[in-house]
């Protein structure tokens, strides 16, 4: 199963490091990362594989949210299905 | 693979344009709860609702979290109480409403619908008793919603019931005078009522429905508004295309949530109701979509045409996105729940008469309309009669949810709070309709050939 992680906020050192550290600890595999500055706002999108996830989905979501709050960023994780449902026929 | 632009588009729709799933509604049949002993009957319905809907709210929250889509309401609809309560003839019906309220509290849902009766051709004894108990039942509860179907295209308009509902609405308003007549916000009078509608206050579990079912209602006026805004000066064809595409995306999201909820709760999926349901929040208004099309204020000349285009495009886009579409499906125009409608009424651009015209081309009808407290029962009945005639003749669902706010006058504003918003008091026609609505009997079903 795949999920999309989006990180939005001000650019700073260590965003990828901190986020991927959480992912590695919970056995989440990163498949793709892209980042861009849109209208002065740092936006990072990660496509991840959560098949081997060793914790609850909601727990992972909380951990990411918490880290986001710590760094002043908005971090969300959503199942990929929502995007494919909306954008693919 | 999904592109980052698509991901960002979805995120924007959710975070900035208020895209959400408005409701997951579980329909539960209460037909096996009937009992001639009223107390046993209410125990039966309480137990059954609690048992079936035990995991509804929890599952809704889990889906919300995993997919990152807000699901605003979790609701329950039940078999019309007038049908299942018929056997306990000497029972105080308000106790049934209280049992529904307790069950709703217990499972944590926002609303429970189905304190309803279908009387388009006439009343049974149970129908009569239920309708008479509506004002008391709705004023004693906060989550119980009621609806009465008084007309269908096949059987015409039951004018006795229309007249009766004028009285019931006034009584419900008076019983909740301290809250601006709040009970009336939970009461809808219908023509051609759908049996699978997930939206309140008109939701009930129809008699052709299965034992238990999951219906989902989507929303998203903000997303449509923003898509039109980006287009600038497009022609009607392009505008319609853009609305269709946005409606498709919104509905697909609803379909996904419905399927997921149905799978997790092990309850069959019924329908997606592809409606544009506004909220009082800024950026979540149907009126603002119409204004984006080029009308200075919602309610001015051209509004009906604009709404017709919007309503049709929403359906066309949504139909392809879902395997089963049902309910009310279309644009809602509840005055108090839409920031743009409220403004339009306040500045005098939008009148009751124009709203009535608008209901000819969109779903539902005169919705969340606040009128002066001194409006007579007969005038309210006549307003209902007009709206029912539109539904019956045009073979569509129409409804009236009107609040004669006690002691309020034209120009006052009544606060309902939450999703119900705030309603400016609108003027009604000052001339009487008393003799007409008191004639009694039924208006016959309309002819369906020789159409002009």
């Amino acid at each position: 199963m795949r999920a999309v992680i989006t990180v939005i906020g001000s650019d700073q050192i260590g965003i990828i490091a901190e986020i991927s550290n959480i992912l590695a600890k919970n056995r989440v595999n990163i498949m793709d990362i892209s980042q861009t500055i849109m209208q002065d706002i740092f936006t990072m999108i990660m496509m991840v594989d959560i098949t081997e996830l060793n914790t609850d989905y909601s727990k992972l979501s909380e951990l990411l949210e918490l880290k986001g709050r710590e760094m002043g960023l908005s971090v969300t994780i959503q199942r990929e299905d929502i995007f494919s449902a909306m954008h693919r026929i | 693979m999904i592109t980052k632009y698509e991901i960002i588009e979805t995120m924007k729709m959710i975070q900035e344009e208020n895209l959400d799933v408005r409701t997951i509604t579980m329909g539960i049949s209460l037909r096996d709860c009937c009992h001639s002993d009223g107390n046993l009957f209410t125990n039966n319905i309480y137990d059954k609702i609690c048992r079936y809907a035990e995991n509804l709210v929890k599952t809704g929250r889990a889906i919300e979290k995993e997919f990152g889509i807000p699901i605003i309401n979790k609701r329950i609809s039940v078999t019309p109480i007038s049908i299942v309560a018929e056997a306990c003839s000497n029972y105080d019906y308000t106790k049934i409403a209280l049992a529904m309220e307790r069950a709703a509290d217990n499972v944590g849902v926002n609303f429970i619908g189905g304190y309803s009766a279908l009387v388009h051709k006439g009343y049974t004894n149970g129908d009569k008793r239920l309708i008479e108990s509506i004002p008391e039942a709705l004023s004693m509860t906060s989550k119980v919603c009621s609806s009465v179907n008084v007309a269908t295209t096949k059987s015409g308009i039951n004018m006795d019931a229309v007249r009766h509902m004028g009285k019931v609405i006034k009584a419900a308003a008076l019983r909740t005078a301290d809250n601006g007549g709040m009970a009336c916000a939970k009461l809808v009078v219908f023509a051609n009522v759908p049996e699978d509608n997930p939206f309140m206050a008109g939701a009930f579990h129809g008699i052709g429905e299965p034992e238990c079912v999951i219906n989902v209602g989507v929303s998203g006026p903000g997303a449509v508004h923003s898509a039109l805004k980006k287009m600038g000066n497009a022609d009607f064809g392009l505008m319609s295309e853009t609305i269709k595409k946005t409606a498709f995306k919104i509905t697909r999201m609803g379909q996904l949530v419905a399927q997921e909820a149905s799978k997790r709760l092990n309850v069959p999926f019924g329908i997606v109701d592809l409606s544009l349901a506004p909220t009082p929040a800024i950026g979540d208004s149907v009126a603002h979509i119409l204004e984006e099309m080029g009308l200075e204020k919602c309610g001015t000349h051209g509004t009906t045409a604009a709404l017709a285009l919007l309503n049709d495009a929403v359906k066309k886009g949504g139909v392809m996105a879902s395997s089963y579409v049902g309910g009310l499906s279309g644009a809602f125009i509840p005055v108090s729940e839409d920031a743009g409608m409220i403004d339009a009424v306040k500045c005098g651009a939008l009148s009751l008469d124009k709203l009535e015209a608008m209901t000819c081309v969109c779903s539902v009808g005169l919705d969340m309309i606040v009128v002066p407290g001194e409006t007579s029962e007969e005038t309210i009945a006549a307003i209902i009669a007009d709206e029912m005639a539109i539904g019956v003749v045009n073979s569509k669902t129409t409804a009236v949810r009107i609040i004669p706010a006690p002691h309020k006058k034209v120009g006052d504003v009544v606060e309902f709070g939450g999703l119900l918003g705030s309603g400016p008091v609108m003027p009604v026609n000052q001339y009487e309709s008393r003799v007409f609505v008191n004639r009694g009997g039924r208006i016959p079903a309309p002819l369906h050939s020789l159409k002009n």
Side-chain angles (χ1 to χ4, degrees):
Chain A
M1 200 177 5
R2 298 199 296 200
V4 174
I5 296 171
T6 23
V7 181
I8 299 168
S10 56
D11 200 5
Q12 54 194 283
I13 293 168
I15 297 180
I16 297 187
E18 293 279 2
I19 299 289
S20 38
N21 188 23
I22 296 176
L23 299 181
K25 274 188 194 150
N26 293 287
R27 296 209 47 82
V28 175
N29 187 29
I30 300 171
M31 300 164 73
D32 187 52
I33 299 185
S34 76
Q35 63 173 68
T36 166
I37 307 284
M38 287 185 40
Q39 293 156 7
D40 294 331
I41 296 168
F42 171 83
T43 311
M44 178 173 80
I45 296 167
M46 275 180 167
M47 183 68 78
V48 298
D49 186 341
I50 53 172
T51 322
E52 287 182 42
L53 183 67
N54 61 7
T55 176
D56 272 1
Y57 183 97
S58 59
K59 184 84 198 143
L60 175 67
S61 160
E62 257 167 52
L63 283 172
L64 290 169
E65 235 172 75
L66 212 69
K67 179 54 74 184
R69 222 170 299 151
E70 218 174 85
M71 301 180 74
L73 302 161
S74 136
V75 183
T76 49
I77 178 164
Q78 289 165 281
R79 293 245 310 260
E80 190 206 11
D81 316 33
I82 169 86
F83 302 101
S84 35
M86 284 176 83
H87 299 283
R88 294 286 178 274
I89 294 179
Chain B
M1 197 184 288
I2 299 297
T3 69
K4 72 177 173 197
Y5 296 103
E6 289 166 334
I7 291 171
I8 289 167
E9 187 192 338
T10 300
M11 300 291 292
K12 266 203 155 145
M13 283 167 96
I14 295 171
Q15 291 176 358
E16 291 170 26
E17 297 159 8
N18 298 311
L19 177 62
D20 56 51
V21 167
R22 183 52 49 83
T23 177
I24 297 185
T25 304
M26 177 182 266
I28 304 173
S29 165
L30 298 182
R31 275 149 68 178
D32 56 355
C33 297
C34 298
H35 204 287
S36 53
D37 179 329
N39 289 329
L40 283 177
F41 167 66
T42 47
N43 286 347
N44 284 350
I45 66 170
Y46 175 83
D47 290 345
K48 185 164 184 185
I49 294 167
C50 292
R51 194 167 71 242
Y52 276 50
E54 190 187 0
N55 294 318
L56 176 63
V57 173
K58 199 171 72 186
T59 306
R61 290 214 180 107
I63 294 174
E64 205 170 3
K65 192 105 192 155
E66 279 179 41
F67 292 96
I69 313 162
I71 301 171
I72 309 298
N73 291 298
K74 291 90 184 170
R75 298 168 171 169
I76 293 170
S77 64
V78 296
T79 312
I81 294 296
S82 72
I83 296 172
V84 285
E86 195 100 45
C88 36
S89 50
N90 290 319
Y91 194 62
D92 175 5
Y93 275 27
T94 55
K95 288 188 186 162
I96 305 169
L98 289 172
M100 289 166 76
E101 176 95 350
R102 277 202 310 279
D105 282 337
N106 182 33
V107 296
V109 293
N110 314 82
F111 280 115
I112 181 163
Y115 199 78
S116 305
L118 309 171
V119 296
H120 37 271
K121 212 159 174 194
Y123 296 82
T124 63
N125 294 333
D127 291 334
K128 196 166 271 171
R129 298 191 50 212
L130 181 116
I131 291 174
E132 269 158 15
S133 72
I134 286 174
E136 201 178 348
L138 294 186
S139 58
M140 288 163 77
T141 55
S142 62
K143 293 180 173 169
V144 175
C145 292
S146 176
S147 54
V148 178
N149 192 61
V150 298
T152 66
T153 297
K154 286 235 154 89
S155 59
I157 308 172
N158 180 351
M159 284 301 291
D160 291 329
V162 167
R163 173 66 187 83
H164 194 174
M165 289 313 293
K167 188 175 166 198
V168 167
I169 287 170
K170 280 287 280 188
L174 283 174
R175 276 183 180 271
T176 45
D178 294 345
N179 297 323
M182 182 71 169
C184 299
K186 301 187 294 154
L187 173 60
V188 196
V189 185
F190 272 108
N192 294 321
V193 68
E195 300 206 328
D196 51 7
N197 159 32
F199 286 102
M200 294 297 171
F204 68 86
H205 187 71
I207 45 172
E209 295 286 306
E211 177 69 13
C212 188
V213 73
I214 287 290
N215 297 323
V216 163
V218 298
S219 179
V224 173
H225 182 198
S226 145
L228 284 181
K229 204 172 188 172
K230 277 182 214 137
M231 300 190 61
N233 200 16
D235 73 0
F236 289 108
L238 264 176
M239 247 182 352
S240 168
E241 274 304 302
T242 306
I243 298 168
K244 273 157 68 180
K245 283 180 192 157
T246 314
F248 176 84
K249 290 175 189 166
I250 295 171
T251 312
R252 286 281 277 206
M253 186 191 75
Q255 166 85 8
L256 179 72
V257 167
Q259 277 172 334
E260 197 65 30
S262 146
K263 197 169 75 192
R264 291 184 193 193
L265 291 162
N266 199 21
V267 167
F269 156 59
I271 55 100
V272 173
D273 187 320
L274 40 100
S275 287
L276 283 186
T279 67
I282 298 298
D284 209 15
S285 154
V286 169
H288 287 157
I289 299 177
L290 305 177
E291 288 168 7
E292 189 61 45
M293 288 186 190
L295 301 167
E296 190 182 355
K297 270 285 168 199
C298 175
T300 186
H301 304 292
T303 303
T304 311
L307 183 59
L309 180 145
L310 172 67
N311 197 52
D312 181 63
V314 165
K315 286 183 199 165
K316 283 174 177 160
V319 158
M320 191 178 153
S322 170
S323 38
Y324 299 98
V325 171
L328 296 162
S329 287
F332 290 177
I333 50 170
V335 174
S336 76
E337 300 174 7
D338 186 311
M341 297 274 173
I342 296 171
D343 282 349
V345 170
K346 281 184 180 163
C347 75
L350 182 60
S351 67
L352 198 55
D353 297 339
K354 188 63 179 180
L355 277 163
E356 187 182 305
M358 288 161 76
T359 66
C360 300
V361 298
C362 76
S363 63
V364 209
L366 291 174
D367 197 10
M368 290 303 288
I369 311 271
V370 186
V371 295
E374 62 187 23
T375 311
S376 71
E377 288 172 26
E378 290 88 354
T379 297
I380 290 174
I383 292 171
I384 297 172
D386 281 343
E387 196 57 35
M388 298 302 106
I390 290 171
V392 165
V393 171
N394 295 303
S395 303
K396 71 186 287 294
T397 302
T398 48
V400 174
R401 185 160 51 147
I402 191 166
I403 301 120
H407 319 302
K408 300 284 179 188
K409 295 190 171 49
V410 173
D412 292 347
V413 175
V414 181
E415 291 289 337
F416 297 110
L419 284 181
L420 295 170
S422 64
V425 179
M426 300 177 76
V428 297
N429 199 308
Q430 291 307 305
Y431 293 92
E432 292 282 346
S433 324
R434 194 170 15 131
V435 177
F436 179 74
V437 295
N438 281 327
R439 281 179 182 275
R442 286 183 279 141
I443 294 181
L447 183 66
H448 276 282
S449 59
L450 309 175
K451 287 206 165 189
N452 283 303

